[in-house]
Amino acid sequence: MRPRHVYCGSPDVEDALLSELRRHSGDVSVLAPGLVRCGVLVDAVFARQVLIDAQLLQADNPAALAAAVLDVDGLPFAGSLIDVEAPELPRTGSRDKQRHPLTETAAVLQDTLRKKTEGRRQQGKLGAASSSRLRFVLTAPRQGWRAIGTDVDVDPLTAWPSPFPAGRAVAVEQSRNAPSSAHRKLEEGLAWLGDAPGAGDVVVDLGAAPGGWTRVLRDRGATVVAVDRAALDPMLARDPLVTHLRKDALDVDLGALAPAFVVCDVIWEPKITLVVVERALQVPGLRGIVATIKLKRPVDHDVVAQSVELATNTPGFSGRVKHLVANKLEVTLLIRRD
Ligand SMILES: C[S@@+](CC[C@H](N)C(=O)[O-])C[C@H]1O[C@@H](n2cnc3c(N)ncnc32)[C@H](O)[C@@H]1O
């Protein structure tokens, strides 16, 4: 049987995931909104999770589905790591308040599977827990795709499959007093980066206004140089941890500011963002970069590939480019010093 890897992403960029995977293989098809099957294994930018050699399981009732999910070629699943997820909803104006109709079913099934496995272990039927991880993504109340693997790499910046269930790093709610909803992008990006600024770190925030990212950074104790030609949220403008440089981000001398992190959310042509990221990589002592690459339809996969090349092939750094849950038609470039 041909291998079937199931890629999980956002239904909003399913077209981009399809065209990205088709650059690697002709063996690509949509299974459900945001779930795409492909015959080859790649770290797709527009997928946040991959189910390697996934199997479609279905049953007539919840108990039979639980039994099928834990049945691995006639043997009971012996790992202790079990993630059951619902697929992602398309983004609408009020997605924050929406939950996928399968979210509750996924939570109940996950609880059942974990209890069943724990019960079997306590009865001495399973032996010591293996380091296997079972991932199951529901596509209907009693149907979904399962993959079983061993997490050899758990670094969120490099691991594939992602250590985050369904590749959803952090469930960041819209904060009521945040200057913009953009803060969710940065929180999620920092979780993938596996490092984050803290007290005493200088961070340059390019394209900072109105200040969602700056707020995240200063709340972590960092000293922020917020660069934007537009006004910052008045509270942040008065904040002693924040300095507003009201100028063009291209005119900032990053070397002189000596930041530990550079973050960038400027709506630029991708090539300009990549030039600025290259400049940031020259800063001695720089620990990390989070930058959004703004895209248009149809997605220019050459420019996405250039971003991946910069993130993954810069000596002394590790990196990745991902479409995050909080990204619209953009991807996030993440780079961390080794
Ligand atoms: C998507 S918004 C940033 C939102 C911000 N990250 C937040 O969390 O609130 C993009 C920002 O880039 C700024 N911008 C666009 N071109 C710029 C440039 N050349 N130099 C500095 N800022 C720029 C805009 O004024 C705008 O505030």
Side-chain angles (χ1 to χ4, degrees):
M1 204 173 70
R2 12 179 227 165
R4 296 180 300 189
H5 309 305
V6 174
Y7 291 81
C8 315
S10 162
D12 301 311
V13 293
E14 185 186 283
D15 57 333
L17 175 57
L18 278 171
S19 49
E20 181 184 14
L21 291 172
R22 284 192 180 124
R23 285 162 70 95
H24 301 277
S25 165
D27 185 16
V28 177
S29 53
V30 177
L31 301 168
L35 288 189
V36 173
R37 175 204 169 285
C38 178
V40 299
L41 183 61
V42 290
D43 183 0
V45 168
F46 289 93
R48 255 170 271 117
Q49 186 56 289
V50 63
L51 305 181
I52 294 177
D53 285 332
Q55 277 180 285
L56 181 64
L57 303 177
Q58 40 204 339
D60 293 336
N61 59 69
L65 183 64
V69 174
L70 289 179
D71 180 295
V72 186
D73 299 329
L75 292 173
F77 175 70
S80 56
L81 304 169
I82 298 175
D83 300 328
V84 182
E85 292 289 325
E88 223 161 286
L89 277 178
R91 179 187 282 271
T92 64
S94 58
R95 191 172 64 163
D96 280 343
K97 300 186 189 74
Q98 292 187 330
R99 277 155 64 85
H100 194 285
L102 291 171
T103 301
E104 193 57 38
T105 311
V108 170
L109 178 59
Q110 175 167 283
D111 192 48
T112 305
L113 299 180
R114 288 182 179 173
K115 283 186 177 142
K116 242 179 144 115
T117 305
E118 191 47 36
R120 283 175 176 164
R121 181 155 288 113
Q122 281 170 3
Q123 291 161 16
K125 293 182 183 165
L126 282 186
S130 76
S131 57
S132 298
R133 184 184 282 268
L134 185 156
R135 296 183 168 94
F136 190 63
V137 176
L138 283 167
T139 47
R142 289 187 282 283
Q143 174 184 296
W145 290 89
R146 180 190 72 179
I148 293 171
T150 305
D151 290 358
V152 279
D153 179 8
V154 289
D155 178 351
L157 192 61
T158 51
W160 195 234
S162 162
F164 303 122
R168 292 176 207 140
V170 274
V172 186
E173 298 299 322
Q174 165 83 54
S175 161
R176 259 191 276 151
N177 61 357
S180 73
S181 63
H183 64 281
R184 292 174 299 178
K185 264 191 300 196
L186 183 60
E187 292 282 16
E188 196 184 347
L190 292 173
W192 280 88
L193 189 69
D195 189 11
D201 289 327
V202 173
V203 184
V204 175
D205 181 0
L206 301 173
W213 287 28
T214 292
R215 170 73 67 83
V216 167
L217 297 162
R218 66 86 52 223
D219 285 353
R220 287 173 174 269
T223 302
V224 187
V225 180
V227 184
D228 205 300
R229 293 177 301 206
L232 267 193
D233 172 81
M235 288 266 283
L236 289 170
R238 288 195 297 271
D239 193 314
L241 282 178
V242 178
T243 304
H244 184 191
L245 288 188
R246 209 159 181 162
K247 63 196 287 192
D248 193 311
L250 278 176
D251 297 335
V252 173
D253 182 352
L254 290 174
L257 294 168
F261 289 81
V262 172
V263 299
C264 176
D265 196 23
V266 179
I267 303 167
W268 267 327
E269 282 298 315
K271 288 192 172 157
I272 301 183
T273 307
L274 294 183
V275 167
V276 170
V277 169
E278 278 177 34
R279 281 190 204 163
L281 286 165
Q282 306 304 317
V283 173
L286 183 97
R287 272 171 42 211
I289 297 174
V290 176
T292 40
I293 311 279
K294 314 283 179 179
L295 300 168
K296 294 183 187 125
R297 283 204 154 83
V299 166
D300 178 352
H301 285 289
D302 289 337
V303 93
V304 174
Q306 282 167 28
S307 312
V308 171
E309 174 67 19
L310 185 60
T312 56
N313 270 336
T314 300
F317 293 89
S318 299
R320 190 163 213 179
V321 183
K322 277 284 158 204
H323 179 267
L324 305 180
V325 177
N327 281 145
K328 294 178 184 161
L329 190 52
E330 59 191 5
V331 291
T332 302
L333 187 150
L334 305 144
I335 300 182
R336 188 186 69 203
R337 192 180 287 278
D338 290 332

